[in-house]
Amino acid sequence: LISSSLTLNEYYLRKYEFVDEAKSHLKGTLEYIGEFHAEDYFGIDFKNTSESSIKPIKKLNIDMNLECGEILHVKITDALEDRWEVPYTISDKYKEEVEKCTSKKSLKDFGLEFQDDPTSPFAIVLKNINTGVTYFNTENIHFLYTNNFITFGTQLTSDDIYGFGERYHALKLGPGKFTIWPKDPGGIREDDGTGGYNLMGSQPLGLHKTYEGNFVGFIFNNI
């Protein structure tokens, strides 16, 4: 039932469980099934690296946790080997607020749906449960997790994207590629959206304004 040819996403959810009574915290395992050929992927010419260094990690752990009923954390890690991870630190004040939080909402009641059919690639969809507007959707989007290359994306409801700072550009990002590649260069980069530019730092925080006027914030905490 699974094609051996390369697709947008060949990670499948193999098992999962809710670890709390409210069903707001899920842990599971993703497995990569398929054949990987770097030269066929995205049309990207991977330079200064071997194909073996960007082969998919075959088994991943996924952790989806809804914090205080309003902030969704999705953490994906190598299930077989230790891998350096960006430290996740929060202030003591915020920790106290989280510990006191009594707002428990299930992932489903928050509007999160996920693909758990063993014959279909894993995907998550986040919707406004009141209006039905989709805020985040990884269906039919490239998803690849390797030691040296990770790609993960979403479909959008409008072209209103803000953030990914430290570049000279209009507040609203126009069409194009806007890379975050810190290398401590001097001056301000006037970014034309062609990608490949170095910046002084990395601020992978973005805001998406949906067509109904609500803002959805997201941060890609990775290096």
Side-chain angles (χ1 to χ4, degrees), residues 83-102:
R83 185 176 184 274
W84 188 88
E85 298 178 12
V86 177
Y88 176 64
T89 57
I90 58 177
S91 68
D92 292 337
K93 182 178 179 180
Y94 185 70
K95 286 180 182 179
E96 292 176 3
E97 293 178 356
V98 171
E99 291 173 356
K100 295 177 181 178
C101 179
T102 58

Side-chain angles (χ1 to χ4, degrees), residues 135 156-161 206-210 214-216 218:
Y135 287 159
L156 301 173
T157 69
S158 76
D159 63 355
D160 287 321
I161 300 292
L207 289 173
H208 171 46
K209 183 180 180 181
T210 68
N214 290 328
F215 278 91
V216 180
F218 47 89

Side-chain angles (χ1 to χ4, degrees), residues 151-178:
T151 178
F152 187 77
T154 178
Q155 302 176 33
L156 301 173
T157 69
S158 76
D159 63 355
D160 287 321
I161 300 292
Y162 307 86
F164 300 106
E166 213 171 63
R167 55 169 50 85
Y168 182 76
H169 191 277
L171 178 61
K172 174 183 171 180
L173 295 181
K177 296 179 181 179
F178 297 93

Side-chain angles (χ1 to χ4, degrees), residues 5-33:
S5 62
L6 186 66
T7 62
L8 294 171
N9 174 10
E10 294 206 63
Y11 281 103
Y12 295 77
L13 185 63
R14 286 307 184 218
K15 62 179 181 179
Y16 69 91
E17 63 178 351
F18 291 98
V19 297
D20 65 333
E21 188 175 342
K23 294 187 176 181
S24 64
H25 191 179
L26 176 149
K27 292 186 177 183
T29 301
L30 301 177
E31 184 179 357
Y32 185 92
I33 297 179

Side-chain angles (χ1 to χ4, degrees), residues 33-173:
I33 297 179
E35 295 183 7
F36 176 73
H37 303 284
E39 64 274 12
D40 297 332
Y41 214 81
F42 302 124
I44 293 176
D45 181 14
F46 292 94
K47 298 179 179 179
N48 302 320
T49 187
S50 64
E51 181 172 322
S52 62
S53 67
I54 53 174
K55 281 187 175 180
I57 294 174
K58 295 293 187 179
K59 188 175 182 181
L60 301 171
N61 289 328
I62 183 166
D63 186 310
M64 296 191 290
N65 185 21
L66 181 59
E67 196 170 89
C68 287
E70 60 182 17
I71 300 176
L72 178 65
H73 293 273
V74 179
K75 183 178 182 180
I76 302 175
T77 55
D78 189 334
L80 302 177
E81 297 183 12
D82 290 335
R83 185 176 184 274
W84 188 88
E85 298 178 12
V86 177
Y88 176 64
T89 57
I90 58 177
S91 68
D92 292 337
K93 182 178 179 180
Y94 185 70
K95 286 180 182 179
E96 292 176 3
E97 293 178 356
V98 171
E99 291 173 356
K100 295 177 181 178
C101 179
T102 58
S103 176
K104 288 292 183 180
K105 185 184 297 183
S106 70
L107 291 170
K108 182 179 180 181
D109 290 339
F110 184 64
L112 183 75
E113 303 171 359
F114 58 93
Q115 177 59 262
D116 59 356
D117 183 340
T119 64
S120 298
F122 175 75
I124 57 176
V125 180
L126 180 62
K127 295 182 178 181
N128 184 319
I129 59 173
N130 296 315
T131 65
V133 173
T134 299
Y135 287 159
F136 196 88
N137 185 1
T138 69
E139 293 178 324
N140 300 317
I141 298 291
H142 283 296
F143 173 35
L144 183 68
Y145 197 108
T146 83
N147 278 323
N148 295 323
F149 181 75
I150 298 174
T151 178
F152 187 77
T154 178
Q155 302 176 33
L156 301 173
T157 69
S158 76
D159 63 355
D160 287 321
I161 300 292
Y162 307 86
F164 300 106
E166 213 171 63
R167 55 169 50 85
Y168 182 76
H169 191 277
L171 178 61
K172 174 183 171 180
L173 295 181

